[in-house]
Amino acid sequence: MAQQTLFPTAAAGSLPKPFWLSETHKLWPQWKQQGAELETAKRDATLLWLKLQEDAGLDTVGDGEQSRQHFVHGFLEFVDGIDFHNKVEMGIRDNRYKAMVPRVVGALTMKGRAHEAEAKLCRAHTKKKLKFTLPGPMTIIDTIADEHYGDRIKMAMAFADLLNQEARALEKDGVDIVQFDEPAFNAYTTAAAGWGIEALHRAIDGLSCKTAVHICYGYGITANIEWKKMLGGEWRQYEDFFPALAKSRIDQVSLECRNSKVPPKLMSLLGDKEVMVGVIDVATDQVETPEEVAETIKTAMQFVPKEKIIPCTNCGLAPLDFEVSRRKLEALGAGARLARERFA
């Protein structure tokens, strides 16, 4: 049996789209191609990032969400019962900022597979562990207007059932880790510890592959940066739901660490979970040094057994510059190698 790599590395999820695929430095970029040409461009971008992740030394790779315009709506496009044509403005993340969002106007059902093509493409072109990201139920319902269910929890559970369908299929496609992105957990901490985790359990039902939840303080965009300034000297949101996550059936928890004001000791609340420690800041173009990455890993080792640490990015890199992001992934890989030399 092969020996497990110490400090196996991974990216949180999204990666910047190349200029020939879409607009750059945006969370909601417009595609530059249409039809068959767009599908070819998406495939090429996915393969490019797959290679760049391997070149950076990442142990777990993903599709970088190159085929999705947005990490939530990329899944919603494959769901019936949603009106994308008549969007409404809605406050999201507890009214942290407003966005034009689609509306749920009928019972939710899948049109078919959402991400089969991307998963099979990646599986066919890498021997590395493959992670695939999906939006979490709480974050979905916080990013869409309900005009059918009349109950947030009921709608979240309906989405959880659809996510479960896709997650089970992704496992059959050869995906090793299915991750659910739940930035909304940090906005609704009490609900996260209750029905938020219940919805995640519904989404992972029947899976035998690894499961993960990613909980960050958001992309490095102005609205999130301004919100963080209001959180005071310590960001303690994780404290409200990490004990519940420790008791959950989720295998891995992804959190923000590098350049954040999250007290590192909160990681100890996760019990025996594998912890994806954010060692790369996504809110700055400054590229971390391998030394800085290793130091963040060292900090995490005070609160998490080293065998449970997965060095990762704080969040997705989508809005950042392409070249900056590539170099940040290289720093992630080099920093983990340095940490292995020092702390093995």
Side-chain angles (χ1 to χ4, degrees):
M1 186 173 180
Q3 185 176 4
Q4 183 177 342
T5 300
L6 187 64
F7 308 132
T9 48
S14 69
L15 296 166
K17 294 176 176 63
F19 70 91
W20 38 264
L21 173 60
S22 74
E23 296 176 298
T24 59
H25 306 99
K26 290 185 177 181
L27 275 185
W28 300 78
Q30 295 300 308
W31 301 118
K32 290 191 175 180
Q33 315 289 341
Q34 293 181 348
E37 290 184 352
L38 175 59
E39 295 311 307
T40 297
K42 288 178 177 179
R43 182 201 65 196
D44 292 349
T46 301
L47 292 176
L48 174 60
W49 269 119
L50 205 61
K51 179 68 164 61
L52 293 177
Q53 288 173 85
E54 291 186 344
D55 289 350
L58 269 59
D59 300 282
T60 297
V61 298
D63 74 326
E65 301 174 10
Q66 297 298 292
S67 295
R68 295 174 250 180
Q69 189 180 37
H70 182 267
F71 83 101
V72 174
H73 293 200
F75 176 77
L76 297 184
E77 290 173 8
F78 298 92
V79 179
D80 270 329
I82 300 174
D83 180 359
F84 278 92
H85 300 292
N86 302 291
K87 294 182 179 180
V88 296
E89 187 176 70
M90 188 178 85
I92 65 178
R93 308 297 182 268
D94 198 21
N95 292 311
R96 191 186 316 165
Y97 50 92
K98 293 183 178 181
M100 296 300 295
V101 301
R103 304 174 300 129
V104 174
V105 295
L108 296 165
T109 57
M110 294 298 294
K111 298 176 182 178
R113 284 296 309 279
H115 302 301
E116 179 180 15
E118 303 99 292
K120 287 186 174 179
L121 178 70
C122 289
R123 186 69 287 165
H125 286 85
T126 186
K127 292 181 171 60
K128 299 275 191 177
K129 283 189 177 180
L130 178 60
K131 180 174 76 172
F132 208 91
T133 60
L134 295 170
M138 179 179 282
T139 296
I140 290 179
I141 69 158
D142 193 48
T143 321
I144 195 167
D146 176 23
E147 295 183 10
H148 175 74
Y149 286 90
D151 183 287
R152 284 170 58 84
I153 300 176
K154 185 178 180 180
M155 186 167 72
M157 296 306 169
F159 274 117
D161 289 341
L162 302 189
L163 289 165
N164 182 247
Q165 290 180 39
E166 182 65 18
R168 289 184 183 214
L170 287 169
E171 182 176 21
K172 291 180 180 178
D173 292 335
V175 169
D176 300 293
I177 304 165
V178 176
Q179 173 180 297
F180 297 90
D181 296 333
E182 284 287 22
F185 271 30
N186 270 343
Y188 311 101
T189 59
T190 301
W195 68 260
I197 292 176
E198 181 184 343
L200 282 179
H201 281 164
R202 200 150 159 173
I204 68 170
D205 184 57
L207 294 179
S208 57
C209 67
K210 289 264 189 181
T211 60
V213 61
H214 168 66
I215 310 159
C216 63
Y217 284 77
Y219 285 114
I221 59 176
T222 301
N224 289 334
I225 293 171
E226 292 302 314
W227 173 63
K228 290 178 181 180
K229 292 179 181 177
M230 300 167 57
L231 297 180
E234 285 191 339
W235 305 346
R236 305 193 70 92
Q237 283 73 17
Y238 289 145
E239 196 169 32
D240 293 344
F241 50 84
F242 270 10
L245 270 177
K247 299 175 183 177
S248 76
R249 299 198 301 273
I250 296 288
D251 298 311
Q252 301 177 348
V253 179
S254 170
L255 53 84
E256 187 163 319
C257 188
R258 172 71 180 167
N259 286 345
S260 81
K261 295 181 181 178
V262 174
K265 65 182 178 182
L266 297 186
M267 285 186 271
S268 64
L269 297 175
L270 288 170
D272 63 355
K273 299 299 182 189
E274 295 179 351
V275 183
M276 287 185 275
V277 179
V279 299
I280 298 292
D281 187 1
V282 303
T284 177
D285 284 343
Q286 183 174 347
V287 178
E288 290 78 3
T289 65
E291 180 73 29
E292 289 170 335
V293 170
E295 281 300 307
T296 305
I297 293 171
K298 181 180 179 180
T299 297
M301 286 173 57
Q302 299 176 51
F303 309 102
V304 180
K306 62 183 181 181
E307 296 80 11
K308 299 282 188 178
I309 294 174
I310 302 169
C312 190
T313 57
N314 275 350
C315 185
L317 295 165
L320 268 64
D321 179 77
F322 189 98
E323 181 62 17
V324 167
S325 298
R326 184 188 67 78
R327 291 167 56 207
K328 279 179 174 281
L329 292 187
E330 288 182 344
L332 171 58
R337 289 192 295 273
L338 182 60
R340 289 177 200 125
E341 294 172 5
R342 291 183 176 177
F343 310 129

